Amino acid sequence: MASRRGNAKTGEHSDKYSVLLPTYNERENLPLIVWLLAKYFGESGYNYEIIVIDDGSPDGTLQIAEQLQKIYGADKILLRPRAKKLGLGTAYIHGIKHASGNFVIIMDADLSHHPKFIAQFIEKQKEGGYDLVSGTRYRGDGGVYGWDLRRKLISRGANFVTQVLLRPGASDLTGSFRLYKKEVLEKLVEQCVSKGYVFQMEMIVRARQLGYTVGEVPISFVDRVYGESKLGGNEIVSFLKGLLTLFATT
Amino acid sequence: MTKLLEWLLGVSLIGVAWGLVTFDLLDLQLPPQYRELAWPMPVYLLVAFGCYSLAAVGYRVATFNDCEDAAKELQAQIKEAKEDLKKKGLKMNHISLEVSHVHRAVYF
């Protein structure tokens, strides 16, 4: 019934893609993202595993993950939980240690990033031999759903300032839907010191400095929680602080 | 070299060139038109950059794609996923199509 596309078979059989999913209170989204990942990886034929790094979610995310493991198999769903909410950088380090793939995909677990783009990331990486491939909302037919004018203005404005100051050679720095060669991710996480989305920005800036090649794939970002996340003066100020820190230190 | 240092270097070089021409510091006896042109250059450049920035950001906001289809597709797939997972034996106490009310980090 499910037919395998030819492209994955003619490529290297040794390539394996580890998807890192740091989760915190994603009891409802986790099954959905895993279902989508399994669906699209199944269709594309690429070898994969999903590593769920749950930071002690009080809502039972880990229990859901255990059920998913029974459904999809312990070779496909790996659980590597942590006791409490720690940083994203350490989540990646923790996840990489248990990743058996030679490529690592990082993405959000809340369905704002859609697994259908992963095959495009993989193909782009093969096409150019890139060390990392970044999803961009700002190029091609990339875009966002659920943002009003004010939000778009802030996003584009912030990105413009970032481009002028950092000249990073990538169009979308705060996006965190990316494919890395495993050793590249390891090296970068080691070097980066920032937190949060500034950390994602720093990864790309340092990647360029270290001479790694960056490819881009347009993605659509579906923001289902926009109404609830506040983007006010405080957040903007902290973004600028992070940006200026990168400006002065990289 | 950090970006900050690159900028400082660039600004210094331009500043020195501007100073040399405007105030004729090397005593080159340049024709007065050069000096008159050079003198307001920094302001002109800043204004030009300001206009470019407004135009660029304005254009990018106007052409920022809205992914209506992606959202619809996602909604449909969520329904499909929930049915399929129930069949496969997943037990969820409370599944809603509403957005889950969690605090999520702001996304730029």
Side-chain angles (χ1 to χ4, degrees):
Chain A
M1 194 173 88
S3 61
R4 302 214 142 190
R5 301 256 172 82
N7 51 8
K9 288 192 138 183
T10 53
E12 297 84 48
H13 286 272
S14 54
D15 281 338
K16 185 171 181 183
Y17 300 88
S18 302
V19 180
L20 297 188
L21 283 184
T23 60
Y24 189 74
N25 284 346
E26 294 289 3
R27 192 172 61 98
E28 307 204 348
N29 289 326
L30 186 59
L32 305 174
I33 190 86
V34 167
W35 187 87
L36 284 169
L37 283 165
K39 171 184 158 84
Y40 283 97
F41 267 115
E43 281 170 12
S44 66
Y46 294 117
N47 196 5
Y48 75 102
E49 65 183 359
I50 301 170
I51 304 177
V52 180
I53 303 149
D54 185 54
D55 281 356
S57 298
D59 74 344
T61 302
L62 192 55
Q63 284 69 43
I64 291 284
E66 282 161 4
Q67 287 194 56
L68 290 166
Q69 198 175 39
K70 290 205 185 69
I71 294 173
Y72 288 102
D75 59 323
K76 287 282 179 271
I77 315 276
L78 275 61
L79 304 181
R80 296 292 177 265
R82 304 193 294 180
K84 58 177 185 147
K85 201 169 194 311
L86 301 165
L88 198 60
T90 51
Y92 291 159
I93 294 174
H94 186 71
I96 292 171
K97 279 205 200 78
H98 302 106
S100 61
N102 53 334
F103 288 95
V104 178
I105 291 158
I106 62 163
M107 61 190 297
D108 287 354
D110 63 359
L111 300 174
S112 49
H113 294 147
H114 198 299
K116 68 180 176 183
F117 293 106
I118 293 179
Q120 295 178 34
F121 282 21
I122 293 174
E123 277 146 38
K124 185 77 186 182
Q125 192 283 321
K126 288 188 192 295
E127 179 192 311
Y130 295 107
D131 296 304
L132 78 97
V133 177
S134 172
T136 174
R137 297 161 288 165
Y138 298 134
R139 285 256 173 87
D141 53 8
V144 181
Y145 171 80
W147 281 6
D148 60 7
L149 188 63
R150 173 183 176 268
R151 192 75 180 74
K152 286 184 184 177
L153 185 57
I154 295 175
S155 181
R156 285 292 200 170
N159 181 256
F160 181 81
V161 176
T162 305
Q163 294 292 329
V164 168
L165 287 181
L166 299 182
R167 300 187 326 272
S171 62
D172 191 347
L173 251 64
T174 51
S176 51
F177 192 4
R178 300 181 187 159
L179 165 70
Y180 292 85
K181 287 184 185 169
K182 188 162 85 168
E183 63 274 14
V184 172
L185 182 60
E186 277 171 326
K187 185 74 192 281
L188 289 174
V189 173
E190 210 179 281
Q191 303 242 327
C192 292
V193 295
S194 326
K195 306 264 178 284
Y197 49 76
V198 184
F199 169 74
Q200 301 290 3
M201 293 165 67
E202 192 185 353
M203 297 272 271
I204 297 247
V205 173
R206 296 230 182 259
R208 296 273 301 175
Q209 281 181 340
L210 291 170
Y212 292 129
T213 52
V214 179
E216 292 197 310
V217 168
I219 57 158
S220 50
F221 179 85
V222 177
D223 195 337
R224 296 156 71 219
V225 295
Y226 171 45
E228 314 208 347
S229 66
K230 35 183 185 29
L231 181 51
N234 281 341
E235 284 75 27
I236 295 178
V237 166
S238 95
F239 172 84
L240 288 174
K241 283 207 311 225
L243 177 58
L244 288 174
T245 307
L246 282 184
F247 180 62
T249 58
T250 62
Chain B
M1 200 192 294
T2 65
K3 293 287 182 299
L4 176 59
L5 288 177
E6 282 178 20
W7 270 77
L8 289 176
L9 186 63
V11 169
S12 309
L13 285 175
I14 294 176
V16 163
W18 176 78
L20 285 179
V21 175
T22 308
F23 302 111
D24 206 13
L25 298 173
L26 290 178
D27 219 12
L28 292 169
Q29 309 291 348
L30 292 166
Q33 296 97 308
Y34 280 38
R35 298 185 61 174
E36 276 170 26
L37 184 60
W39 161 230
M41 260 315 187
V43 178
Y44 286 173
L45 288 175
L46 276 172
V47 171
F49 176 70
C51 292
Y52 165 73
S53 306
L54 285 177
V57 174
Y59 174 74
R60 291 171 186 180
V61 170
T63 56
F64 205 165
N65 292 326
D66 278 311
C67 305
E68 299 281 347
D69 292 338
K72 287 203 189 81
E73 179 189 46
L74 183 61
Q75 287 292 38
Q77 285 181 329
I78 289 175
K79 279 206 187 80
E80 191 190 341
K82 283 177 176 166
E83 284 161 14
D84 192 38
L85 286 168
K86 235 196 295 194
K87 277 202 210 104
K88 291 194 160 92
L90 187 75
K91 290 186 183 37
M92 291 187 74
N93 305 327
H94 167 65
I95 310 176
S96 69
L97 283 171
E98 309 305 321
V99 161
S100 44
H101 291 260
V102 295
H103 171 70
R104 200 197 64 186
V106 161
Y107 214 109
F108 273 89

